Every structure is written in structure tokens, then in C-alpha cells.
Amino acid sequence: MLKAFAKTGVAAVLGWTGADRAVSSLAGTTRLPLVVGYHAVVEDVRAHVGRAIAPNLISVNMLERQLEWIGRRYRFMTLDDLGAQLERGDPFERPSAAVTFDDGYVGVYRHALPLLKRMGIPAGVFIVTELTGRSELQVYDKIYLLLEKALPLLGHSEMRLRQLVQTKNVSLGERHGSRRLDAFSTMRWLLNTQTQKGLRRVIEALETVSEVRDSDYPDLQVMDWEMVRTMEASGITIGSHTQTHALLTEESLERAANQAVGSMYTLRDRLQRPIRHFAYPDGRFNPAVVSAVARAGYRYGYGTCLRRDHRHPNLTIPRTLLWERSCIDARGRFSSSLMRCHAYRLTDLWAPCTHNHGDSATSAASQRSEARQRQHA
Ligand SMILES: [Zn+2]
Ligand SMILES: [Zn+2]
């Protein structure tokens, strides 16, 4: 709550003084278009408390509110037009914005598509190809939901969780933070220390103490191919978000490259058109991953922070992630000042990106996989 007040205070002061504009142009960010990123779109977020990762959700009403706000200040562009302009190096004379959705949740088809059509706003959707058309949950949704059920049974104890996953030969890395585990921070910790294969073993271990039936979470399902084709026919740009939503910096380089190439082939086959856009799962990239995405033939890539790879600036286009409560002040009301902070990317000041975008991330992942291979040898 204190943090919310501080955040609102900062936003209000910036709004009053116009200092936000000065800070933003100092940072050079106004020269870049604003690309916003959303995940699941639902009718009412209150129905999903404890049943979904909150920062992945937005209600269709709040989405409309945020898009209206952006539309009054920015010109919306398609991802293709935006990418082409970045490639040409033409300056963005007018503030420009693009809208994206990651993961291909079914609500983007059901709720966002009609809204975008009504408002005349173009958008891009990043698809996890091997999940599309299946009634399975995303790996991180599954882990989060299992943790919500399992952690109370484990007394929220780190030691007991370590013991549980040890039964599936998973050893968890170091962890900082409070002793009592909560589902969200534990999920982040697992994502930071495990490959996707490791995460699947964690799921198996959690399933020995709790159960999550995928069909109980219809709003967390992803689209089928018919929906993807309908979106595409409606003018939505379809891009890749890998085959299985593997966090590419945590995988071997070979697997990262396969994820980029394989998902492009599938999308090209299914949609019969070139696939140019790629969103890094969880915004995680490092130089080796960006090179793999470039080699796969993508022209435009999107992260979740301001960090760029100077060899491939168009493969590391910054994005601003938004969700239901991004722009809600301490009194629970929509705040134009907070929205402005996100649009000018000032939020990076109080919540800087914690990803490792350097080379060492790759070597950490490969060291881990080497160590595991030695273990299994
Ligand atoms: Zn994602
Ligand atoms: Zn980052």
C-alpha cells in the first residue's frame, strides 16, 4: 500500500510539473514508439483472484480505458508499419504506438478482437505454437496454480518444497527473500533457476500433493488455429512466442534456436504468409539468443523492458507491459498520471528490469546444463 501511495505521489508530481516530458526526452525514449504488451483478457478480473497470475490479466473494460487514453495521445500503427519505419530510420514525427498480446490466450480472441475492431486499432498477437489448439495450460500458469494449492499444504516452507521436488531429481538454486513462500515469488524463483524440462519435473512433483485440472480454467486456455486464422484475417499481425514458451536464456543455445525456427515454420505453414515478428518469452534475451532469432529470419523482436541489443536494435524493440492495476491509484481509481508514467517508461525507475541480458546469462544456462549432464552421466 505504501508503495502504491509513493508511486501515485511520484506520478502526480510529475503530472503537475510537466517534468515527466523532460525526463522522458532526456532518456531519449520519445523517439521510440510506444509498444504496449498485454497477456490474458477477461470479462472481470475479480473472478480470477488466486486463480490466475494477476499481472497477466486485464478486464476488457480496463483495456478499453487504457487504449482510449493512448489513442488520444498517440497514432496507432501496425507492427509491420512500425517495423518498416524503424528499419528505414525515419524519425517518428508524431507520437506512435502499437498494441501487442503475448501467449495467445483465448480472451484475446473473444474479448479483445471485437474491441479492437470497434475502436479501429491494429494489434499483434504472439503465439506459442505447440500449445495452440490444445486444452493444456501454459507451463507457468500451471506452476502458479499448483503452488497456490500446494504451498499451504507445505506450510509455505522452502525446505519442504526443496524436499518435494528433490523426489523428481530437481535441485532448486539459491533463493533470496522472505522465508515464507508465496505462489507468485516462488514461481518467479523457479523460472529463474530451471529449464523448461526442469519445470515440468517440478509440476510432476507438485502434482503428488495437489491437483489442478486444466479444464477448470477456461480463461487461461489458448486459442485454436481457427481463431488464430480469424484474427489474422481481421488484420491482426501474428508473430511467434516460441513453440513451448521456453525462456530462451535459460535453455541451451541449440534448443533456443530450435524454438525460434520451429515456431516460425509452423506459423508459416498454418497461415501461409511470412512471419516477421517475435516476442521473447518473459522478455528474456541475451546476445546469443538475439543472434539465434536473427538467424531464424525474424525481422522484429520485442522484449519487456528498455534494454536493446545494439547489433540488432529492431530485434530488441522495447515494450511496456500493462495489466489491470497498472494505472490504478491508491484509491482504486484510473490514474492518467500513472498511465503517463508507463507510457514514458518512467516505471523502470521504481521497478527496473531484473533480467540478465548479458552474455553471462547464456554461460550460466550452459554451465547448468553441463553440470546436469555430468550428473546424469
Ligand atoms: Zn509469454
Ligand atoms: Zn530487461
Side-chain angles (χ1 to χ4, degrees):
M1 197 61 172
L2 245 182
K3 200 175 170 191
F5 272 112
K7 200 167 80 167
T8 314
V10 170
V13 168
L14 289 172
W16 290 331
T17 61
D20 51 352
R21 207 169 277 276
V23 171
S24 183
S25 54
L26 267 178
T29 51
T30 46
R31 273 177 274 140
L32 270 178
L34 168 68
V35 185
V36 293
Y38 295 100
H39 292 86
V41 183
V42 296
E43 262 187 278
D44 185 352
V45 290
R46 284 169 303 185
H48 298 275
V49 178
R51 291 177 48 85
I53 301 166
N56 272 3
L57 293 188
I58 191 160
S59 65
V60 65
N61 285 336
M62 181 57 78
L63 178 65
E64 180 168 5
R65 197 117 196 234
Q66 294 186 359
L67 293 179
E68 260 174 11
W69 188 96
I70 297 169
R72 281 198 296 272
R73 294 158 179 86
Y74 295 76
R75 156 185 74 130
F76 285 112
M77 299 179 81
T78 65
L79 289 185
D80 279 332
D81 288 346
L82 187 144
Q85 189 162 342
L86 283 173
E87 251 171 8
R88 288 194 306 270
D90 291 349
F92 288 84
E93 303 289 353
R94 288 171 57 193
S96 304
V99 182
T100 64
F101 296 87
D102 282 9
D103 303 348
Y105 285 106
V106 74
V108 175
Y109 172 82
R110 281 202 198 118
H111 307 302
L113 181 62
L115 177 71
L116 293 165
K117 275 185 174 172
R118 178 158 61 74
M119 296 178 83
I121 298 174
V125 177
F126 298 106
I127 300 291
V128 179
T129 56
E130 282 189 13
L131 206 60
T132 308
R134 291 168 64 169
S135 50
E136 245 172 72
L137 296 178
Q138 310 258 12
V139 173
Y140 56 84
D141 279 332
K142 185 93 177 188
I143 289 202
Y144 172 82
L145 294 169
L146 279 166
L147 286 168
E148 279 283 4
K149 292 190 174 182
L151 287 179
L153 303 174
L154 299 172
H156 300 271
S157 149
E158 179 178 334
M159 197 182 69
R160 289 178 65 189
L161 179 68
R162 282 183 188 277
Q163 286 166 348
L164 177 67
V165 300
Q166 191 72 59
T167 61
K168 301 288 175 188
N169 292 319
V170 176
S171 59
L172 298 176
E174 221 187 312
R175 178 179 165 272
H176 308 281
S178 78
R179 283 207 154 167
R180 191 177 181 280
L181 298 179
D182 68 84
F184 185 72
S185 68
T186 307
M187 177 200 67
R188 300 294 315 172
W189 173 44
L190 293 169
L191 293 183
N192 284 334
T193 56
Q194 299 298 317
T195 63
Q196 203 165 44
K197 217 167 154 190
L199 293 176
R200 293 202 191 276
R201 290 211 296 266
V202 171
I203 288 177
E204 281 174 31
L206 291 170
E207 280 176 334
T208 62
V209 293
S210 57
E211 189 194 8
V212 165
R213 279 212 309 264
D214 295 7
S215 55
D216 288 345
Y217 301 86
D219 283 337
L220 298 184
Q221 305 281 333
V222 300
M223 292 185 250
D224 61 30
W225 285 109
E226 203 44 51
M227 295 175 190
V228 175
R229 271 190 287 268
T230 306
M231 302 236 12
E232 209 260 328
S234 315
I236 302 293
T237 308
I238 305 294
S240 163
H241 199 39
T242 73
Q243 293 173 300
T244 62
H245 206 279
L247 308 184
L248 301 184
T249 52
E250 309 306 308
E251 303 289 336
S252 72
L253 247 188
E254 191 194 356
R255 193 165 138 77
N258 287 343
Q259 290 267 336
V261 173
S263 57
M264 181 195 262
Y265 281 179
T266 304
L267 284 170
R268 223 161 45 183
D269 270 6
R270 294 275 186 171
L271 303 175
Q272 294 294 310
R273 56 160 43 238
I275 303 300
R276 303 191 178 95
H277 304 267
F278 184 89
Y280 302 91
D282 201 30
R284 295 186 197 217
F285 61 80
N286 57 32
V289 164
V290 175
S291 296
V293 169
R295 275 196 302 275
Y298 294 96
R299 278 164 67 179
Y300 313 109
Y302 305 84
T304 54
C305 64
L306 297 181
R307 184 60 174 267
R308 301 187 88 181
D309 181 323
H310 292 289
R311 301 164 312 146
H312 297 290
N314 295 335
L315 282 175
T316 45
I317 298 170
R319 269 195 311 174
T320 300
L321 295 188
L322 294 173
W323 61 291
E324 180 74 9
R325 300 196 60 81
S326 294
C327 309
I328 296 293
D329 68 15
R331 291 193 183 85
R333 295 174 313 195
F334 180 85
S335 156
S336 191
S337 305
L338 278 176
M339 193 71 197
R340 196 176 294 123
C341 283
H342 283 282
Y344 291 169
R345 304 178 180 95
L346 299 179
T347 43
D348 276 36
L349 296 177
W350 64 69
C353 170
T354 55
H355 296 152
N356 185 351
H357 292 296
D359 273 317
S360 55
T362 323
S363 53
S366 52
Q367 273 165 18
R368 269 210 312 276
S369 81
E370 276 166 28
R372 260 193 305 275
Q373 275 162 12
R374 276 199 302 275
Q375 257 175 29
H376 291 282

